[in-house]
Amino acid sequence: MTRVAVIGAGVIGLSTAVCLSESIPQCSIDVISDKFTPNTTSDVAAGMLIPHAYPDTPIHLLKQWFQETFDKLFAIANSSEATDAGIHLVSGWHIYRSDPPQERPFWADTVLGFRKMTESELKKFPQHVFGQAFTTMKCEGLSYLPWLEKRLRGSGGQVYTRKVEDLWELYGSYDVVINCSGLGSRELLGDLQLFPVRGQVLRVQAPWLKHFIIDGDRQTYIYPGAFNVTLGGTRQKDDWNLSPDPQNSRDILAKCRALEPSLQGAWDIKEKVGLRPSRPGVRLQKEILVQDGHRLPVVHNYGHGSGGISVHWGTALQAVQLVKELITTSKISTSKAKL
Ligand SMILES: Cc1cc2nc3c(=O)[nH]c(=O)nc-3n(C[C@H](O)[C@H](O)[C@H](O)COP(=O)(O)OP(=O)(O)OC[C@H]3O[C@@H](n4cnc5c(N)ncnc54)[C@H](O)[C@@H]3O)c2cc1C
Ligand SMILES: *[C@@H]1O[C@H](CO)[C@@H](O)[C@H](O)[C@H]1NC(C)=O
Ligand SMILES: *[C@@H]1O[C@H](CO)[C@@H](O)[C@H](O)[C@H]1NC(C)=O
Ligand SMILES: *[C@@H]1O[C@H](CO)[C@@H](O)[C@H](O)[C@H]1NC(C)=O
Ligand SMILES: *[C@@H]1O[C@H](CO)[C@@H](O)[C@H](O)[C@H]1NC(C)=O
């Protein structure tokens, strides 16, 4: 029995743990995390399946991760689990005031029915000259994380609340460690390539809104969900402030009302802040740490920045592949040691 520790209980840690339990049932899996739902960054995310590019991650990989995630969640959305898992289809518009994009986005063939908006659709937006319409999914952390956790426990996985100060704490108790600590990897490992991009959003009641609206560079958006509507947002690099900023909230509300005047009637406005774990590229890598002749196999899966929900299942599949490679290598080295 291979003993695996997964550090982190955001969407990346929990999905990697569930994916591992589905692919290698003869593993024992412990998720170790200092924060759990509803207190992770993944709980703040709107959870729209629209990926973001990372400068150092090749586009073909990103496309594959998004397709794998989309296929997995499409099957859930099409099942009786959909409500519990917090996944539903959603259609809407991405509109531009000027300068329509030169290229078709790399994810255009994965989402459903991607097309140019018609003149009559654009009549709703007198300030805008161009737009794209498509259908994608929304995967809500506040439902999806508990659902993943339940599945993990159902297959025998365990969950522990604890902050890991040093990976070597886990040596001896585990054969492989998977590091899904998001922004936490900066402090522990001193991965200085990792930086926060602060995001503040509002969650409001506006149950008449069913279509999403995204403006231009994706800073301003209206994302209707199952229970409330997410209004965004901000993208503040290197800002660690987790407290809501009232000026940010006023700006978000003003920008969203300019797109959708009916938001005048929204009520129960709540502010949420999260720090996106950003990096030039997602770190998906295996590594064997060595200290005093001891070997600790590690798989890293962190740094998903603004688009972690959109690619999580694809990166989980790749992390599991890396775990398989490590298990095979360590079996070979153990049998050599016996000889
Ligand atoms: C406002 C906002 C809106 C967003 N909207 C979207 C969207 O619409 N679509 C999309 O795809 N993405 C979106 N994102 C991005 C998405 O939230 C992230 O990419 C994703 O949540 C990252 O997941 P994660 O599991 O890596 O990180 P986290 O959710 O931060 O999880 C990290 C986990 O590691 C644990 N941890 C860290 N350090 C340690 C340690 N030393 N010891 C033990 N545990 C540790 C933490 O407690 C936590 O449980 C949004 C983000 C924000 C802020
Ligand atoms: C989330 O944070 C709140 C406030 O700090 C705390 O009371 C609660 O126990 C936390 N929930 C979990 C599941 O850790
Ligand atoms: C959707 O559900 C139907 C009916 O259960 C099933 O036949 C079909 O294969 C499902 N499609 C996907 C993509 O899961
Ligand atoms: C992530 O991996 C690095 C080693 O590359 C390690 O130093 C750091 O402590 C790890 N993070 C956690 C949360 O264990
Ligand atoms: C928004 O919906 C979530 C469920 O996804 C719920 O827990 C939360 O209380 C709602 N927030 C508001 C402001 O209604």
Side-chain angles (χ1 to χ4, degrees):
M1 167 89 65
T2 307
R3 300 161 304 170
V4 180
V6 177
I7 305 171
V11 71
I12 302 304
L14 289 177
S15 61
T16 302
V18 167
C19 188
L20 190 64
S21 75
E22 288 176 1
S23 335
I24 319 180
Q26 62 277 25
C27 270
S28 79
I29 303 169
D30 289 353
V31 171
I32 302 172
S33 188
D34 58 347
K35 288 187 185 154
F36 284 88
T37 182
N39 297 336
T40 73
T41 311
S42 304
D43 292 286
V44 175
M48 290 292 288
L49 264 69
I50 309 173
H52 282 262
Y54 312 91
D56 286 2
T57 301
I59 220 76
H60 71 90
L61 254 185
L62 203 51
K63 226 173 145 166
Q64 179 193 324
W65 295 340
F66 181 50
Q67 186 71 52
E68 287 163 345
T69 307
F70 198 92
D71 291 347
K72 177 80 181 177
L73 298 196
F74 191 55
I76 301 170
N78 181 41
S79 77
S80 58
E81 291 287 306
T83 307
D84 277 355
I87 300 168
H88 60 88
L89 286 162
V90 57
S91 300
W93 295 305
H94 188 173
I95 52 177
Y96 297 81
R97 274 165 218 272
S98 58
D99 300 329
Q102 297 302 304
E103 285 174 32
R104 217 175 134 77
F106 69 87
W107 43 265
D109 296 325
T110 301
V111 298
L112 311 173
F114 186 91
R115 61 174 173 81
K116 251 177 83 171
M117 280 168 73
T118 63
E119 286 300 318
S120 36
E121 285 174 303
L122 277 168
K123 278 188 189 148
K124 181 170 164 55
F125 306 105
Q127 312 287 324
H128 294 74
V129 300
F130 177 83
Q132 295 154 338
F134 55 95
T135 298
T136 185
M137 279 173 283
K138 195 164 184 285
C139 170
E140 310 203 332
L142 285 170
S143 303
Y144 188 57
L145 298 188
W147 184 79
L148 286 174
E149 213 179 295
K150 198 175 72 189
R151 288 180 72 88
L152 179 69
R153 289 178 194 272
S155 64
Q158 308 269 353
V159 164
Y160 298 98
T161 306
R162 163 176 159 197
K163 180 163 183 176
V164 179
E165 304 287 350
D166 181 337
L167 283 181
W168 285 98
E169 287 168 23
L170 306 174
Y171 177 77
S173 311
Y174 298 98
D175 305 306
V176 180
V177 175
I178 313 183
N179 183 357
C180 307
S181 57
L183 202 54
S185 289
R186 186 183 158 102
E187 184 189 331
L188 283 143
L189 118 96
D191 181 346
L192 297 181
Q193 289 198 65
L194 200 61
F195 57 91
V197 176
R198 181 177 180 277
Q200 181 166 325
V201 292
L202 304 177
R203 293 223 185 102
V204 308
Q205 292 297 313
W208 61 91
L209 294 182
K210 304 294 180 198
H211 257 64
F212 67 78
I213 304 170
I214 308 170
D215 196 7
D217 65 0
R218 292 169 69 173
Q219 285 240 35
T220 302
Y221 48 76
I222 297 169
Y223 290 146
F227 304 102
N228 40 49
V229 180
T230 304
L231 307 181
T234 69
R235 211 178 282 156
Q236 296 139 306
K237 198 176 170 223
D238 287 323
D239 185 340
W240 291 86
N241 181 14
L242 274 168
S243 308
D245 175 307
Q247 186 57 46
N248 286 168
S249 295
R250 282 192 288 274
D251 292 346
I252 292 168
L253 210 49
K255 287 189 296 179
C256 290
R257 274 186 193 158
L259 294 180
E260 180 55 67
S262 73
L263 278 169
Q264 191 72 37
W267 73 94
D268 193 14
I269 299 171
K270 298 217 170 72
E271 302 164 300
K272 300 276 167 196
V273 179
L275 305 178
R276 302 174 179 93
S278 299
R279 216 175 167 275
V282 175
R283 185 164 184 217
L284 245 174
Q285 235 170 27
K286 62 180 171 174
E287 177 181 34
I288 297 184
L289 301 179
V290 179
Q291 185 177 291
D292 304 330
H294 300 304
R295 294 155 60 84
L296 182 61
V298 179
V299 171
H300 300 284
N301 185 8
Y302 65 81
H304 295 66
S306 304
I309 312 274
S310 302
V311 296
H312 72 277
W313 195 258
T315 55
L317 286 167
Q318 191 165 326
V320 166
Q321 181 55 38
L322 296 173
V323 172
K324 284 183 181 162
E325 290 169 21
L326 281 172
I327 294 176
T328 320
T329 330
S330 68
K331 270 195 192 126
I332 294 166
S333 57
T334 325
S335 52
K336 271 190 193 144
K338 276 183 193 143
L339 287 173

